[in-house]
Amino acid sequence: MQSILQQDIQYLAGVGPNRRKMLSDELGIQTFGDLLEYFPYKHVDRSRLYSIGELNGDMPFVQVKGHILSFETFKMSARKERVVAHFTDGTGKVMDLTWFNGGKYAKQNYTIGKEYIVFGRPNVYNGRINVTHPDIDAAEKLELSVMGMQPHYNTSEKMKKSGLNSRAMERLTKTLLDVLKESLPETLPPFITEKLHLMSRDEALRKIHYPQHAKELERARVRLKFEELFYVQLNILRYASDQRRKYRGYVFPKVGDCFNDFFYHHLPFPLTGAQKRVIREIRKDMGSGRQMNRLLQGDVGSGKTLVALMSMLIALDNGYQACIMAPTEILAEQHLKTIMDFLQDMPIRVALLTGIVKGRRRQEILDGLLDGTVQILVGTHAVIEDTVQFACLGFVVVDEQHRFGVAQRAKLWNKSVNPPHVLVMTATPIPRTLAMTLYGDLDVSIIDELPPGRKPVVTQHVFDRSLPSLYDGIRKQIQQGRQVYIVFPLIEESEKIDLKNLEDGFEVLRQVFPEFRLSKVHGKMKPADKETEMQRFVSGETQILVATTVIEVGVNVPNASVMVILEAQRFGLSQLHQLRGRVGRGADQSYCILVTGFKLAEDTRKRIDIMCETNDGFRIAEADLKLRGPGDLEGTQQSGMAFDLKIADIARDGQLIQMARDEASAIIDDDPTCTSDRYAILWHRLKELRKTNINWGAIS
């Protein structure tokens, strides 16, 4: 049976070499198995016949049995015509069937007076029911009692033009299922299918195309979704288990002078309950004897850097060095300043290593790392260069990890005899279902409380016609000693236009606010110029920073109290939330103003409404996932995992993801070496899947 699923699709009746190329180029379908797993996007009930008298323009797809009374042709242009067939069901009622294309074929192939079944979406035109471009079949050829739910398949415009529309795909799938006489092999063991009451794989793959009713379709979908998610989780957990067995971690048995001195004499404010919980989780990992791989999620301003520093101090107490790697020089310098402010006069040597640190200063740092006198290194990609060697690196923090490739992060592992403990931090909240799939090999910690004294940012939506009053509000804030961000969109497809908009907008704002000093920052500037402008704003020399999304991550100006986002409809939810996180970092009330035009698409209006309703990053991330899908969420592109799912939906199948993870976890716990005969069917299937074009690569 396996060999027939691997057979070239051109040998299926109705395909041939030309259609084979089209199916391969447009849909990636090359074998019988590929076609079998090209699932319908919807089904329509074909078991019921309607009378014309029952129809109205609000109904979905319907079918009517009757015959054509006559054809009429209407000239639309010199080369185009509209063909209308008048159709009756014998009740005295008449409906119209209309073709704007293919009318000539209809007149030649459909016979007046012959009984047909017409299928399509009804609408009302000139007071009469009309179906445009209907499906028409001879009544004697259709057995409606066995048709059940008719599948509909996505096809490209190119395919439709060559006759490979949804109906043609349906016929090919029907032919394939008729060829597959024997049962398809099972890929899940009975102890899973019976426990979870899942359909057999054979039944599910047949019923997903041709279910008799909605309940049967749902059962088929659940079985296939579960299987897909289960093997994703099994692969992730197998990889994580291998890593744990292969790499022993450094044991940090004690909490010593560095940590205690900081905790009792330098802690700037009491830790939140969430920060304490996360430090306990990290502390337990570091004492376990296995290498820690932990993802730390926390909204902007939740105190992740403080948790990271206290964890690094435990490494120092045990005689090891620590390192924090950030994606940009600005963010690295920010971390350095934050750490130095926290440590104050503690006798701990902290150094900064970025691309601009050169010559004698750089050599001093490299020497200090090698002899162990530099205890904490803060840096950018420069940290992973071969010339950077540590005496004993025991703890690594990777900030905004989605900005680093897997290979870049792995280089840090090679700078130590054993791999160091790794704490991955992100201020982009990741929905739990997505985290389980994208970062399933990492243990997850969440800081879900803001430090005391922080006031939630007030978010408001205004239309661009209200800019004059908005400018008045900005002026009042600056007069009270505050600073303001004004963000322009900069999107790659129209980068030149956007850049001009920013340049022009900057000049307009200079005229609107002649009494204030402005800075301007965008991605096309030279790094040194960008850094200068940023520092002018950070130091308070300028009151307004006009920028693109380059300020999204890594700018900490507690005095900035207003974030204005122009053309907010052009930003995704997560991006809007990140930008909003640049304000509200001080004790003053802060504001985020979303400016749009009056006409907004429904999805856009939902995004704006969610931003105004909540500051909860996780709720926003969940909404973003549902609105945009995993492929568009920042950072998720790197793993590839989310895009290879054929039927499961990360945004909507959270319960199934948890079920799949629970089952996979129990199996890995029972058979960590993946060799038990009891699970042979699973390890065999996983090996098969790893040979396919699915991206089963490791993620961390």
Side-chain angles (χ1 to χ4, degrees):
M1 176 54 66
Q2 200 58 33
S3 60
I4 195 168
L5 290 180
Q6 291 168 352
Q7 194 158 334
D8 195 307
I9 195 67
Q10 72 174 314
Y11 299 116
L12 182 70
V15 180
N18 291 338
R19 279 190 160 184
R20 191 248 187 239
K21 186 175 187 313
M22 181 74 72
L23 288 167
S24 176
D25 290 350
E26 298 297 304
L27 302 178
I29 294 174
Q30 298 176 352
T31 65
F32 284 15
D34 292 339
L35 179 59
L36 188 64
E37 294 189 6
Y38 189 69
F39 301 125
Y41 71 93
K42 72 172 181 179
H43 289 77
V44 175
D45 188 353
R46 291 297 304 266
S47 60
R48 182 183 168 185
L49 281 171
Y50 288 81
S51 67
I52 294 173
E54 292 178 275
L55 305 184
N56 62 63
D58 296 325
M59 298 173 80
F61 290 89
V62 297
Q63 56 190 1
V64 180
K65 188 176 182 180
H67 61 272
I68 295 171
L69 295 170
S70 62
F71 284 99
E72 264 190 284
T73 302
F74 301 89
K75 276 282 183 194
M76 295 173 67
S77 65
R79 301 181 63 183
K80 292 199 78 172
E81 61 183 24
R82 173 168 60 97
V83 173
V84 177
H86 304 298
F87 186 86
T88 182
D89 59 359
T91 62
K93 301 277 187 182
V94 177
M95 62 189 277
D96 292 338
L97 313 177
T98 303
W99 291 268
F100 293 97
N101 297 302
K104 187 177 178 183
Y105 174 90
K107 286 190 289 186
Q108 289 174 349
N109 288 274
Y110 301 133
T111 307
I112 291 173
K114 183 175 177 178
E115 197 164 51
Y116 292 106
I117 291 176
V118 167
F119 175 75
R121 190 189 293 274
N123 57 73
V124 178
Y125 181 71
N126 284 340
R128 199 139 92 175
I129 293 293
N130 177 76
V131 176
T132 304
H133 295 138
D135 284 344
I136 299 182
D137 293 281
E140 74 271 11
K141 288 186 179 177
L142 287 186
E143 293 181 65
L144 294 179
S145 61
V146 298
M147 278 194 74
M149 311 278 285
Q150 183 184 28
H152 284 243
Y153 300 86
N154 278 318
T155 59
S156 67
E157 286 304 313
K158 194 173 179 183
M159 291 176 70
K160 290 185 179 90
K161 285 177 184 174
S162 67
L164 265 176
N165 56 13
S166 175
R167 196 69 188 277
M169 291 294 292
E170 181 196 340
R171 284 192 282 267
L172 292 179
T173 307
K174 188 83 168 64
T175 302
L176 174 61
L177 290 173
D178 289 342
V179 168
L180 302 175
K181 303 292 185 190
E182 297 175 29
S183 288
L184 297 161
E186 187 51 80
T187 50
L188 293 175
F191 68 81
I192 290 181
T193 54
E194 290 169 12
K195 174 185 171 184
L196 301 178
H197 308 290
L198 298 175
M199 262 185 182
S200 71
R201 184 166 185 263
D202 177 77
E203 189 180 8
L205 282 169
R206 294 175 191 274
K207 298 300 186 186
I208 194 70
H209 294 284
Y210 291 101
Q212 285 300 300
H213 45 75
K215 200 167 184 181
E216 198 170 62
L217 172 63
E218 183 56 25
R219 286 197 65 213
R221 288 174 68 81
V222 166
R223 156 64 207 235
L224 295 172
K225 284 182 175 189
F226 174 84
E227 178 179 338
E228 191 168 48
L229 293 166
F230 170 77
Y231 278 106
V232 168
Q233 293 298 330
L234 190 66
N235 184 67
I236 290 169
L237 294 173
R238 177 204 59 81
Y239 168 77
S241 174
D242 282 353
Q243 293 298 100
R244 280 197 295 270
R245 284 186 298 107
K246 200 180 295 181
Y247 298 110
R248 299 298 297 166
Y250 292 118
V251 179
F252 296 163
K254 67 176 182 178
V255 173
D257 293 343
C258 290
F259 184 94
N260 288 325
D261 183 22
F262 178 78
F263 184 78
Y264 291 109
H265 303 114
H266 295 85
L267 197 63
F269 42 75
L271 297 174
T272 63
Q275 286 173 312
K276 289 176 183 175
R277 183 186 68 244
V278 170
I279 291 171
R280 281 196 300 270
E281 290 167 350
I282 292 169
R283 173 83 182 88
K284 186 178 176 185
D285 282 353
M286 293 192 298
S288 69
R290 69 178 180 87
Q291 187 221 5
M292 179 179 79
N293 271 296
R294 186 166 285 277
L295 172 67
L296 176 56
Q297 294 190 71
D299 239 330
V300 174
S302 60
K304 295 185 299 299
T305 305
L306 180 57
V307 167
L309 173 60
M310 294 178 75
S311 304
M312 288 191 282
L313 292 177
I314 295 173
L316 268 58
D317 278 334
N318 287 274
Y320 291 87
Q321 294 161 295
C323 166
I324 181 165
M325 186 166 74
T328 65
E329 289 183 357
I330 291 171
L331 189 50
E333 288 177 5
Q334 195 102 40
H335 279 311
L336 179 73
K337 183 179 185 305
T338 302
I339 289 170
M340 297 300 282
D341 288 347
F342 278 144
L343 295 177
Q344 296 173 13
D345 57 353
M346 286 181 68
I348 293 172
R349 186 178 172 193
V350 184
L352 175 72
L353 190 66
T354 67
I356 59 173
V357 178
K358 298 189 184 300
R360 185 175 168 185
R361 187 169 152 225
R362 184 183 188 86
Q363 192 56 51
E364 285 175 358
I365 293 169
L366 294 179
D367 292 343
L369 288 170
L370 206 50
D371 64 23
T373 55
V374 171
Q375 295 158 284
I376 296 177
L377 180 68
V378 182
T380 55
H381 298 77
V383 168
I384 59 177
E385 291 173 7
D386 292 339
T387 54
V388 181
Q389 297 296 324
F390 293 80
C392 47
L393 179 63
F395 195 90
V396 170
V397 180
V398 182
D399 196 17
E400 293 302 329
Q401 66 83 36
H402 57 265
R403 309 230 169 169
F404 295 101
V406 174
Q408 289 173 313
R409 297 199 300 274
K411 281 189 175 183
L412 280 167
W413 286 35
N414 299 324
K415 295 185 181 291
S416 194
V417 178
N418 286 331
H421 296 295
V422 177
L423 182 68
V424 166
M425 299 198 305
T426 179
T428 305
I430 304 162
R432 188 166 165 276
T433 54
L434 192 59
M436 274 195 290
T437 308
L438 294 176
Y439 306 107
D441 58 328
L442 301 178
D443 298 310
V444 179
S445 291
I446 296 173
I447 301 180
D448 49 11
E449 294 176 61
L450 285 177
R454 288 280 178 91
K455 294 176 182 173
V457 177
V458 174
T459 305
Q460 296 172 340
H461 175 210
V462 304
F463 297 117
D464 47 19
R465 61 191 179 195
S466 304
L467 282 175
S469 60
L470 173 61
Y471 292 152
D472 287 342
I474 289 172
R475 188 170 281 107
K476 285 174 186 170
Q477 284 287 311
I478 298 174
Q479 286 166 350
Q480 291 171 22
R482 311 283 173 259
Q483 289 168 278
V484 176
Y485 297 99
I486 300 179
V487 176
F488 282 77
L490 188 65
I491 298 173
E492 286 178 13
E493 293 90 80
S494 54
E495 204 166 79
K496 287 179 182 172
I497 299 169
D498 284 332
L499 195 54
K500 187 175 188 306
N501 288 346
L502 183 138
E503 299 283 5
D504 293 347
F506 182 73
E507 291 306 318
V508 169
L509 289 167
R510 284 176 65 176
Q511 291 169 28
V512 171
F513 299 109
E515 70 271 42
F516 303 130
R517 293 185 297 278
L518 284 70
S519 287
K520 175 177 64 178
V521 175
H522 58 77
K524 291 292 180 185
M525 293 170 70
K526 291 178 181 175
D529 294 342
K530 187 162 56 176
E531 180 66 19
T532 300
E533 289 297 298
M534 293 287 276
Q535 288 305 327
R536 288 178 68 215
F537 186 69
V538 170
S539 67
E541 184 185 336
T542 56
Q543 289 81 44
I544 299 174
L545 178 61
V546 181
T548 61
T549 54
V550 294
I551 61 151
E552 183 184 340
V553 172
V555 182
N556 182 24
V557 184
N559 193 47
S561 64
V562 181
M563 166 64 70
V564 177
I565 304 173
L566 300 172
E567 295 187 62
Q569 73 276 7
R570 292 177 64 182
F571 297 85
L573 263 175
S574 289
Q575 204 171 28
L576 290 172
H577 183 61
Q578 283 289 314
L579 288 167
R580 176 168 61 186
R582 295 306 103 209
V583 294
R585 303 172 82 85
D588 300 302
Q589 180 62 62
S590 292
Y591 303 88
C592 176
I593 313 298
L594 307 176
V595 183
T596 71
F598 190 73
K599 288 185 179 179
L600 294 174
E602 185 61 28
D603 273 5
T604 306
R605 195 171 291 279
K606 281 181 187 173
R607 284 207 305 274
I608 301 293
D609 288 347
I610 289 164
M611 284 295 297
C612 294
E613 285 167 16
T614 184
N615 285 292
D616 184 338
F618 288 95
R619 189 179 155 201
I620 286 166
E622 290 281 0
D624 205 19
L625 183 60
K626 284 177 181 169
L627 284 171
R628 300 205 295 162
D632 290 327
L633 288 186
E634 182 181 14
T636 64
Q637 291 90 335
Q638 184 176 316
S639 84
M641 189 66 78
F643 315 107
D644 300 312
L645 299 177
K646 293 179 180 177
I647 189 167
D649 183 332
I650 299 288
R652 292 171 177 82
D653 293 328
Q655 196 174 353
L656 278 176
I657 293 172
Q658 187 61 61
M659 283 170 59
R661 188 171 182 85
D662 289 346
E663 293 301 320
S665 183
I667 288 160
I668 292 293
D669 288 346
D670 192 44
D671 183 20
T673 59
C674 308
T675 53
S676 169
D677 289 343
R678 172 171 161 77
Y679 306 115
I681 185 175
L682 302 177
W683 309 134
H684 175 72
R685 178 62 174 161
L686 194 58
K687 199 175 286 185
E688 277 183 350
L689 289 168
R690 291 173 68 85
K691 289 176 186 171
T692 68
N693 61 357
I694 297 175
N695 179 355
W696 293 85
I699 317 152
S700 82

